[in-house]
Amino acid sequence: IEGPSQQAALIPFAIGTDILPEGSSFGGLAVVMRLPWQQRPLSNDELLNVLSIAEQAGIRNDIPTPAGPQVEGTEPTTDVSKLLPAFFNISFLSERMESLLEPHHINNGIPHAAFDAEGNQTITIPLPPDAAEHLVNNRRFYLRIAGNSPGTKYVVDPDNFAIVLAMPNGQVAVRSQKLDERMPPLLIMGRVNQNGQQLGGKKEGTGAVGVFAFEWPAMNINTGQADFEFRTIVERDADDIRDPTFAQFRIVNNLTGMVSDPVTVPVESRRTAHFSFPSEYVQGGDFEVLVQLLNDGQWLSLRPGALRISSESHSFGFNLFKSFFILWLYSVLVVVVAIFCSTFLSWPIAFVLTLLILLGHWGVLQLGDLASPGVGRQIVSDLFSGAAPAVAETLNRSVEGLSALLRLVASVLPDISQFAAMSDIEQGLAISVNRLLDALKVLAIFGLSFLTFSYVLFRNKEVAP
């Protein structure tokens, strides 16, 4: 992987009950690793950047400041880079790629240093007790390694990493273990932002490579061409915003071993780009599409669903009709819920209750892990780490009780996400019969229930003549 923070390596770990039985205690946890690295000659500006990191890490000491003019791209007269280590950060992610620990839990957020470029140095990174306990409670997680030094390549080998637990009968080293047999033993991630992973570009085509994996044995391409659609967000660091963006695609068939010739496609932000490959490269449905950006100072945002293959064509008019039908079902549900609330409440309160009923289930889904079991211990660990054990246990049970009540209430409210149809139209996807049936099922269950309650309540009311 390359630094600084252009890429990150993810190493999977699983702490099973055979290693640490449920309810067992342990004395501590540390990450033990070896990290070889390579570094090109650095410019003065890059050296000053590394020196500031070294000062933050507390190892600046007697390292001299580079001599010579402070002009970007010029070579320093003092080869300080030979005296500096390569800096990196580690973090931990859940299986859903969500952060498990705050940065201050790991070395107080200060970068770590690898002094030996050959990787012979054993680096030990201990975790605080509360962070170690939270990590072990998750059992399955990823160790994320990201470089901080510019012009540096870090060689990440899963066999060089271990999680060491201090057990009553001695230390136990947990080696890397795949969390899913379909996943590789090492994952490489690009820089992440709100739009997904970012893929940096280079004009020579030597930049990072994004990989989209397809596993669709039942895929049947009736024509001689396999049509693809690519939709992304382009971010620029260049001065000339008029510089057109080009992406290069190739296909690697995992069954036949065939590799296609590259296809260069102009890409615009939030616009769908279309391109084709001969159908022989997608035979069997097990293939990978490789993408590279051919522009300096630009990034592509890659996320699941950014690249799609079109297996067959459908009528757009009929697809649009199905989406309008789903929206009509949603409007019927809104009317029924509004009528139910208005039978026993005045209109301002009925309006608020209608919104709560319709948005309650969706809102809990947006909370994600904040509404899942175990959130109480996490909140206590993050916000009340210094609380007394009795107080911490009371807070934990209170938060867990509120979270369970929230999930219970959400389970009896309608799921309006089943009525989301316009996103499929925007992306050119065919709305399936199952999508229609899911919307009908929600309307039938909740619509009929609310309509029945409305009838009973309204029938027993006295209406003034």
Side-chain angles (χ1 to χ4, degrees), residues 3-16:
S5 303
Q6 295 297 319
Q7 297 168 326
L10 272 62
I11 304 175
F13 285 92
I15 302 177

Side-chain angles (χ1 to χ4, degrees), residues 333-413:
L333 177 65
V334 172
V335 171
V336 171
V337 173
I339 291 175
F340 165 73
C341 295
S342 63
T343 55
F344 60 95
L345 294 171
S346 59
W347 77 264
I349 304 176
F351 176 76
V352 174
L353 182 60
T354 300
L355 291 179
L356 289 176
I357 292 175
L358 292 174
L359 300 179
H361 188 98
W362 174 83
V364 173
L365 291 179
Q366 301 307 305
L367 290 176
D369 286 346
L370 293 178
S372 61
V375 66
R377 186 174 298 276
Q378 180 181 350
I379 290 178
V380 171
S381 176
D382 292 343
L383 302 180
F384 306 97
S385 57
V391 176
E393 184 62 25
T394 301
L395 290 171
N396 178 33
R397 292 184 178 181
S398 301
V399 174
E400 289 291 341
L402 292 173
S403 177
L405 178 62
L406 186 63
R407 294 193 302 272
L408 177 63
V409 172
S411 65
V412 297
L413 296 179

